Amino acid sequence: IILTQLILVLNLIYQFSVGTISSIQAVGNVKVYFICTSTLILLNLPISFLLLRSGFPVYYTLITAIIIEVICFIIRLFLAKYYVELNISSFIKEVFIPIFICIIVACVCAFPFHYMLKDSFIRLFIVCFLYAVIYIIMAWRFLLDNEVKSVLYNLIARFCRSKNKND
């Protein structure tokens, strides 16, 4: 279970970088970006080897990967600031913190059910469903602007109308 949780954390951290990666690549000057991030990511192999060789548990390799990914994320932010004039404080304030708050609120609401219910598939379903519903509500309320909400609302309405015509 711990390995799965750490992999999810690693992927979540990477997902914060996706937009900055695309913006840096769109500029076309990716040499410095690839040298920095690729070198750091490749460090996972020797560090993980040394950890495993020294007798550390397997999950330490994922903790190492998470630390390296955080460093890569910070490097990506600074490179995006340099290449595409990303305002890092605005990015953190307008993107990172709201998403992080939504994740924390959804976790806080779902965790009591995780600990109250007996270990089973039903618990997994209830916790995942509750987390997803709370996160979607929080994202709708705090992450999406009115223009995106309008587009999503129109797509949902169009889907419902086409569904009704087919019935």
Side-chain angles (χ1 to χ4, degrees), residues 48-103:
S48 296
F49 175 78
L50 291 173
L51 288 171
L52 293 173
R53 183 88 163 167
S54 299
F56 285 92
V58 174
Y59 64 86
Y60 272 72
T61 60
L62 286 172
I63 292 171
T64 302
I66 289 170
I67 292 168
I68 289 173
E69 189 58 43
V70 168
I71 295 168
C72 285
F73 174 62
I74 293 167
I75 289 171
R76 289 175 186 128
L77 284 179
F78 282 105
L79 288 174
K81 178 182 180 180
Y82 178 75
Y83 288 127
V84 294
E85 299 175 3
L86 173 71
N87 185 333
I88 294 175
S89 61
S90 292
F91 177 82
I92 290 171
K93 189 174 79 177
E94 296 171 14
V95 177
F96 186 78
I97 291 175
I99 291 172
F100 192 71
I101 289 171
C102 290
I103 291 169

Side-chain angles (χ1 to χ4, degrees), residues 131-148:
Y131 179 87
V133 168
I134 292 169
Y135 187 82
I136 289 169
I137 291 168
M138 295 289 294
W140 184 268
R141 174 69 179 94
F142 297 109
L143 298 179
L144 302 178
D145 62 12
N146 289 335
E147 183 179 335
V148 174

Side-chain angles (χ1 to χ4, degrees), residues 1-160:
I1 302 254
I2 187 76
L3 294 177
T4 305
Q5 292 170 337
L6 289 173
I7 289 171
L8 289 173
V9 169
L10 178 64
N11 285 325
L12 178 65
I13 294 166
Y14 177 75
Q15 289 305 311
F16 280 114
S17 296
V18 170
T20 58
I21 293 169
S22 298
S23 65
I24 293 168
Q25 289 176 343
V27 172
N29 192 359
V30 294
K31 183 178 179 180
V32 173
Y33 163 74
F34 278 118
I35 289 172
C36 292
T37 57
S38 298
T39 303
L40 278 170
I41 291 169
L42 282 173
L43 280 177
N44 272 319
L45 291 174
I47 293 171
S48 296
F49 175 78
L50 291 173
L51 288 171
L52 293 173
R53 183 88 163 167
S54 299
F56 285 92
V58 174
Y59 64 86
Y60 272 72
T61 60
L62 286 172
I63 292 171
T64 302
I66 289 170
I67 292 168
I68 289 173
E69 189 58 43
V70 168
I71 295 168
C72 285
F73 174 62
I74 293 167
I75 289 171
R76 289 175 186 128
L77 284 179
F78 282 105
L79 288 174
K81 178 182 180 180
Y82 178 75
Y83 288 127
V84 294
E85 299 175 3
L86 173 71
N87 185 333
I88 294 175
S89 61
S90 292
F91 177 82
I92 290 171
K93 189 174 79 177
E94 296 171 14
V95 177
F96 186 78
I97 291 175
I99 291 172
F100 192 71
I101 289 171
C102 290
I103 291 169
I104 295 298
V105 169
C107 284
V108 166
C109 293
F111 274 156
F113 291 94
H114 175 76
Y115 291 110
M116 290 185 322
L117 299 174
K118 196 171 83 174
D119 192 14
S120 66
F121 181 75
I122 293 171
R123 180 182 81 172
L124 175 67
F125 177 77
I126 290 171
V127 170
C128 289
F129 179 77
L130 183 63
Y131 179 87
V133 168
I134 292 169
Y135 187 82
I136 289 169
I137 291 168
M138 295 289 294
W140 184 268
R141 174 69 179 94
F142 297 109
L143 298 179
L144 302 178
D145 62 12
N146 289 335
E147 183 179 335
V148 174
K149 288 179 186 177
S150 176
V151 168
L152 288 173
Y153 181 75
N154 289 335
L155 284 172
I156 292 168
R158 190 177 327 145
F159 177 76
C160 291

